[in-house]
mmCIF file of all heavy atoms in Angstrom:
data_model
loop_
_atom_site.group_PDB
_atom_site.id
_atom_site.type_symbol
_atom_site.label_atom_id
_atom_site.label_comp_id
_atom_site.label_asym_id
_atom_site.label_seq_id
_atom_site.Cartn_x
_atom_site.Cartn_y
_atom_site.Cartn_z
ATOM 1 N N SER Q 3 -34.275 17.052 -6.399
ATOM 2 C CA SER Q 3 -34.261 15.734 -6.006
ATOM 3 C C SER Q 3 -33.400 15.589 -4.689
ATOM 4 O O SER Q 3 -32.239 16.054 -4.673
ATOM 5 C CB SER Q 3 -33.616 14.748 -7.008
ATOM 6 O OG SER Q 3 -34.496 14.700 -8.222
ATOM 7 N N GLU Q 12 -31.262 1.882 9.944
ATOM 8 C CA GLU Q 12 -32.480 1.627 10.635
ATOM 9 C C GLU Q 12 -33.769 2.006 9.692
ATOM 10 O O GLU Q 12 -33.896 3.206 9.423
ATOM 11 C CB GLU Q 12 -32.578 2.430 11.926
ATOM 12 C CG GLU Q 12 -31.487 1.969 12.923
ATOM 13 C CD GLU Q 12 -31.559 2.815 14.271
ATOM 14 O OE1 GLU Q 12 -32.720 3.446 14.476
ATOM 15 O OE2 GLU Q 12 -30.468 2.923 14.954
ATOM 16 N N CYS Q 22 -40.129 13.380 5.569
ATOM 17 C CA CYS Q 22 -39.904 14.678 5.815
ATOM 18 C C CYS Q 22 -39.411 15.485 4.525
ATOM 19 O O CYS Q 22 -39.771 16.519 4.347
ATOM 20 C CB CYS Q 22 -38.852 14.894 6.939
ATOM 21 S SG CYS Q 22 -38.284 16.583 7.307
ATOM 22 N N HIS Q 29 -38.614 14.829 -5.861
ATOM 23 C CA HIS Q 29 -38.330 13.397 -5.796
ATOM 24 C C HIS Q 29 -37.450 13.178 -4.697
ATOM 25 O O HIS Q 29 -36.635 13.897 -4.335
ATOM 26 C CB HIS Q 29 -37.634 12.910 -7.048
ATOM 27 C CG HIS Q 29 -38.238 13.103 -8.390
ATOM 28 N ND1 HIS Q 29 -39.393 12.327 -8.721
ATOM 29 C CD2 HIS Q 29 -38.160 13.990 -9.344
ATOM 30 C CE1 HIS Q 29 -39.911 12.701 -9.864
ATOM 31 N NE2 HIS Q 29 -39.249 13.691 -10.152
ATOM 32 N N GLN Q 64 -19.268 7.283 -4.650
ATOM 33 C CA GLN Q 64 -19.910 6.679 -5.913
ATOM 34 C C GLN Q 64 -21.495 6.558 -5.749
ATOM 35 O O GLN Q 64 -22.191 6.771 -6.744
ATOM 36 C CB GLN Q 64 -19.286 5.248 -6.090
ATOM 37 C CG GLN Q 64 -19.764 4.688 -7.509
ATOM 38 C CD GLN Q 64 -19.038 3.422 -7.824
ATOM 39 O OE1 GLN Q 64 -17.964 3.127 -7.320
ATOM 40 N NE2 GLN Q 64 -19.662 2.657 -8.817
ATOM 41 N N ILE Q 68 -24.116 8.052 -8.308
ATOM 42 C CA ILE Q 68 -25.253 7.337 -8.939
ATOM 43 C C ILE Q 68 -26.576 8.072 -8.723
ATOM 44 O O ILE Q 68 -27.327 8.174 -9.684
ATOM 45 C CB ILE Q 68 -25.256 5.872 -8.259
ATOM 46 C CG1 ILE Q 68 -24.071 5.097 -8.731
ATOM 47 C CG2 ILE Q 68 -26.609 5.234 -8.710
ATOM 48 C CD1 ILE Q 68 -23.735 3.700 -7.960
ATOM 49 N N ALA Q 73 -30.781 11.780 -10.859
ATOM 50 C CA ALA Q 73 -31.578 13.008 -10.741
ATOM 51 C C ALA Q 73 -31.473 13.819 -12.011
ATOM 52 O O ALA Q 73 -32.449 14.368 -12.462
ATOM 53 C CB ALA Q 73 -31.089 13.744 -9.638
ATOM 54 N N PHE Q 84 -28.096 13.707 1.391
ATOM 55 C CA PHE Q 84 -28.357 13.289 2.856
ATOM 56 C C PHE Q 84 -27.622 11.986 3.215
ATOM 57 O O PHE Q 84 -27.571 11.122 2.406
ATOM 58 C CB PHE Q 84 -29.877 13.236 3.138
ATOM 59 C CG PHE Q 84 -30.527 14.472 3.105
ATOM 60 C CD1 PHE Q 84 -31.194 14.885 1.905
ATOM 61 C CD2 PHE Q 84 -30.598 15.350 4.114
ATOM 62 C CE1 PHE Q 84 -31.913 16.108 1.763
ATOM 63 C CE2 PHE Q 84 -31.240 16.584 4.148
ATOM 64 C CZ PHE Q 84 -31.914 16.973 2.813
ATOM 65 N N SER Q 88 -29.445 11.762 9.274
ATOM 66 C CA SER Q 88 -29.786 13.278 9.254
ATOM 67 C C SER Q 88 -31.211 13.409 9.577
ATOM 68 O O SER Q 88 -32.159 12.607 9.254
ATOM 69 C CB SER Q 88 -29.638 13.828 7.802
ATOM 70 O OG SER Q 88 -28.299 13.612 7.361
ATOM 71 N N GLN Q 96 -36.178 24.906 1.509
ATOM 72 C CA GLN Q 96 -36.497 26.278 1.218
ATOM 73 C C GLN Q 96 -35.488 27.284 1.914
ATOM 74 O O GLN Q 96 -35.104 28.228 1.178
ATOM 75 C CB GLN Q 96 -37.933 26.640 1.674
ATOM 76 C CG GLN Q 96 -38.445 28.040 1.141
ATOM 77 C CD GLN Q 96 -38.360 28.054 -0.320
ATOM 78 O OE1 GLN Q 96 -38.968 27.280 -1.032
ATOM 79 N NE2 GLN Q 96 -37.775 29.104 -0.933
ATOM 80 N N ALA Q 114 -22.101 25.159 -3.499
ATOM 81 C CA ALA Q 114 -23.163 24.382 -2.633
ATOM 82 C C ALA Q 114 -23.555 25.199 -1.484
ATOM 83 O O ALA Q 114 -22.828 26.089 -0.987
ATOM 84 C CB ALA Q 114 -22.471 23.063 -2.239
ATOM 85 N N ASP Q 121 -25.102 18.525 16.501
ATOM 86 C CA ASP Q 121 -24.674 17.261 16.809
ATOM 87 C C ASP Q 121 -25.740 16.517 17.779
ATOM 88 O O ASP Q 121 -26.066 17.146 18.745
ATOM 89 C CB ASP Q 121 -23.456 17.240 17.490
ATOM 90 C CG ASP Q 121 -22.741 15.872 17.787
ATOM 91 O OD1 ASP Q 121 -22.804 14.968 16.889
ATOM 92 O OD2 ASP Q 121 -22.384 15.512 18.973
ATOM 93 N N ILE Q 184 -14.684 17.500 1.772
ATOM 94 C CA ILE Q 184 -13.612 18.354 1.845
ATOM 95 C C ILE Q 184 -12.868 18.499 0.524
ATOM 96 O O ILE Q 184 -12.730 19.663 0.021
ATOM 97 C CB ILE Q 184 -12.573 17.784 2.935
ATOM 98 C CG1 ILE Q 184 -13.236 17.897 4.279
ATOM 99 C CG2 ILE Q 184 -11.296 18.729 2.945
ATOM 100 C CD1 ILE Q 184 -12.334 17.298 5.328
ATOM 101 N N ALA Q 202 -30.252 30.084 8.575
ATOM 102 C CA ALA Q 202 -31.664 29.761 8.960
ATOM 103 C C ALA Q 202 -31.929 28.313 8.795
ATOM 104 O O ALA Q 202 -32.942 27.732 9.358
ATOM 105 C CB ALA Q 202 -32.631 30.554 8.077
ATOM 106 N N ARG Q 219 -12.963 16.942 27.431
ATOM 107 C CA ARG Q 219 -13.345 17.381 26.116
ATOM 108 C C ARG Q 219 -13.953 16.118 25.371
ATOM 109 O O ARG Q 219 -13.520 14.942 25.624
ATOM 110 C CB ARG Q 219 -12.161 17.860 25.355
ATOM 111 C CG ARG Q 219 -11.599 19.186 25.829
ATOM 112 C CD ARG Q 219 -10.488 19.795 24.944
ATOM 113 N NE ARG Q 219 -11.004 20.025 23.657
ATOM 114 C CZ ARG Q 219 -10.187 20.486 22.585
ATOM 115 N NH1 ARG Q 219 -8.888 20.633 22.860
ATOM 116 N NH2 ARG Q 219 -10.735 20.740 21.431
ATOM 117 N N ILE Q 221 -14.311 14.162 21.962
ATOM 118 C CA ILE Q 221 -13.457 13.941 20.680
ATOM 119 C C ILE Q 221 -14.305 12.989 19.868
ATOM 120 O O ILE Q 221 -14.625 11.834 20.241
ATOM 121 C CB ILE Q 221 -12.082 13.413 20.987
ATOM 122 C CG1 ILE Q 221 -11.364 14.292 21.853
ATOM 123 C CG2 ILE Q 221 -11.386 13.206 19.704
ATOM 124 C CD1 ILE Q 221 -10.000 13.874 22.333
ATOM 125 N N LYS Q 250 -3.551 22.179 5.105
ATOM 126 C CA LYS Q 250 -2.411 21.165 5.168
ATOM 127 C C LYS Q 250 -1.784 21.206 6.389
ATOM 128 O O LYS Q 250 -1.478 20.086 7.145
ATOM 129 C CB LYS Q 250 -1.497 21.216 3.939
ATOM 130 C CG LYS Q 250 -2.090 20.919 2.617
ATOM 131 C CD LYS Q 250 -0.953 21.023 1.529
ATOM 132 C CE LYS Q 250 -1.587 20.600 0.185
ATOM 133 N NZ LYS Q 250 -0.572 20.760 -0.894
ATOM 134 N N ILE Q 262 -2.332 9.467 17.832
ATOM 135 C CA ILE Q 262 -1.839 9.103 19.167
ATOM 136 C C ILE Q 262 -2.968 8.896 20.165
ATOM 137 O O ILE Q 262 -2.908 7.961 20.933
ATOM 138 C CB ILE Q 262 -0.881 10.295 19.677
ATOM 139 C CG1 ILE Q 262 0.389 10.300 18.736
ATOM 140 C CG2 ILE Q 262 -0.422 9.989 21.148
ATOM 141 C CD1 ILE Q 262 1.233 11.492 19.070
ATOM 142 N N ILE Q 263 -3.925 9.785 20.239
ATOM 143 C CA ILE Q 263 -4.990 9.722 21.150
ATOM 144 C C ILE Q 263 -5.834 8.380 20.925
ATOM 145 O O ILE Q 263 -6.126 7.605 21.862
ATOM 146 C CB ILE Q 263 -5.990 10.880 21.027
ATOM 147 C CG1 ILE Q 263 -5.257 12.147 21.584
ATOM 148 C CG2 ILE Q 263 -7.273 10.641 21.819
ATOM 149 C CD1 ILE Q 263 -6.034 13.382 21.424
ATOM 150 N N PRO Q 270 -11.028 -0.851 20.608
ATOM 151 C CA PRO Q 270 -9.829 -1.691 20.960
ATOM 152 C C PRO Q 270 -8.526 -1.028 20.396
ATOM 153 O O PRO Q 270 -8.452 -0.718 19.181
ATOM 154 C CB PRO Q 270 -10.137 -2.958 20.159
ATOM 155 C CG PRO Q 270 -11.103 -2.502 18.920
ATOM 156 C CD PRO Q 270 -11.828 -1.394 19.488
ATOM 157 N N GLU Q 294 -8.378 -2.733 1.177
ATOM 158 C CA GLU Q 294 -7.983 -4.093 0.842
ATOM 159 C C GLU Q 294 -6.890 -4.525 1.918
ATOM 160 O O GLU Q 294 -5.947 -3.800 2.052
ATOM 161 C CB GLU Q 294 -7.191 -4.079 -0.509
ATOM 162 C CG GLU Q 294 -8.355 -3.724 -1.639
ATOM 163 C CD GLU Q 294 -7.599 -3.822 -3.054
ATOM 164 O OE1 GLU Q 294 -6.367 -4.249 -3.066
ATOM 165 O OE2 GLU Q 294 -8.239 -3.523 -4.047
#
Side-chain angles (χ1 to χ4, degrees):
S3 293
E12 294 181 22
C22 177
H29 299 285
Q64 187 171 344
I68 290 171
F84 291 94
S88 303
Q96 188 59 54
D121 183 53
I184 297 174
R219 295 186 60 183
I221 301 173
K250 290 181 178 181
I262 294 170
I263 290 174
E294 296 181 5

